Amino acid sequence: MTSALIDIRHATAEDAPALAAVREEAWRATYQGLIPHITLQQMIASHTPGWWEKLLRMGASVLLLDFDGQTQGYATYGRSRHGPAGYEGEIYELYLMPVYQGAGLGRQLFEAARRELGRRNLQGLVVWSLRDNEQACAFYEALGGQPGGTAIERLGGERLERIAYLWP
Ligand SMILES: CC(C)(COP(=O)(O)OP(=O)(O)OC[C@H]1O[C@@H](n2cnc3c(N)ncnc32)[C@H](O)[C@@H]1OP(=O)(O)O)[C@@H](O)C(=O)NCCC(=O)NCCS
């Protein structure tokens, strides 16, 4: 999992502040203009370092991507919660700091999370993305994901469509 500058590793409770910081910056950059402002603020504010610490202490699966010793991205994953039948694994969240996007790191993090799900014998993978998040949709399609259903999410009074990308 390690190369000279890039290290993909399992997060521990000590990583909670870094996770909160990466999520805040990545979510702001990704969802400003897509998710109504106040709702986005609330969705960012809810994931404090304390929230992450509790999640990690409960045993959640979180991979971090460190670049030159600094956390610049993360993926959370586990058993699928809302996926179609037959798709047992899910990557719940996959986020990189904006300046680290577009350089192949997302692919590395995605593949690492996928391998971890495979090790747990979870068959098939689903990842949900907002349809309006064109970057994420293009990324999942480039990685071979097949659109396999949609769902409507109500956020701040708006109806936003989510797409399920599937890997058998
Ligand atoms: C989505 C995200 C994780 C992708 O990671 P990344 O490091 O930027 O993507 P990579 O450089 O690894 O790209 C992998 C492939 O996706 C393609 N891709 C990535 N972004 C793309 C875009 N905006 N348009 C077209 N293709 C794109 C790349 O061309 C590459 O394909 P290739 O290997 O065939 O050339 C990252 O950009 C990110 O964190 N975005 C903001 C948060 C987000 O939207 N997360 C997903 C929420 S569902």
Side-chain angles (χ1 to χ4, degrees):
M1 278 191 178
T2 308
S3 66
L5 286 174
I6 300 163
D7 186 16
I8 295 178
R9 63 183 175 88
H10 293 280
T12 68
E14 287 69 46
D15 296 306
L19 277 161
V22 171
R23 184 178 185 275
E24 174 165 0
E25 190 162 337
W27 271 57
R28 218 177 282 292
T30 304
Y31 295 121
Q32 217 142 33
L34 295 186
I35 295 177
H37 181 69
I38 292 173
T39 304
L40 177 58
Q41 291 293 100
Q42 290 165 346
M43 292 171 89
I44 290 172
S46 62
H47 287 48
T48 59
W51 184 93
W52 281 105
E53 189 176 336
K54 193 170 164 196
L55 187 80
L56 289 160
R57 290 200 192 283
M58 288 188 323
S61 300
V62 182
L63 283 178
L64 295 185
L65 185 142
D66 290 346
F67 190 93
D68 206 9
Q70 297 285 317
T71 297
Q72 305 294 353
Y74 69 89
T76 61
Y77 57 94
R79 184 170 286 280
S80 173
R81 298 175 295 199
H82 313 292
Y87 292 84
E88 297 174 337
E90 179 169 348
I91 296 178
Y92 309 131
E93 294 201 357
L94 177 63
Y95 289 91
L96 291 174
M97 288 291 249
V99 293
Y100 287 86
Q101 295 172 13
L105 300 178
R107 181 189 281 276
Q108 290 192 42
L109 199 45
F110 175 93
E111 296 297 353
R114 195 173 178 192
R115 277 195 299 277
E116 290 294 319
L117 289 165
R119 276 192 198 114
R120 292 188 199 173
N121 291 324
L122 293 172
Q123 304 296 316
L125 170 65
V126 58
V127 184
W128 290 91
S129 172
L130 287 183
R131 183 185 285 283
D132 290 342
N133 186 352
E134 291 175 6
Q135 179 186 24
C137 293
F139 170 74
Y140 293 126
E141 282 168 26
L143 269 62
Q146 296 292 322
T150 59
I152 297 293
E153 190 164 359
R154 289 178 186 278
L155 290 172
E158 290 204 12
R159 288 161 52 88
L160 298 175
E161 191 176 17
R162 294 195 303 153
I163 305 180
Y165 285 97
L166 306 176
W167 289 258

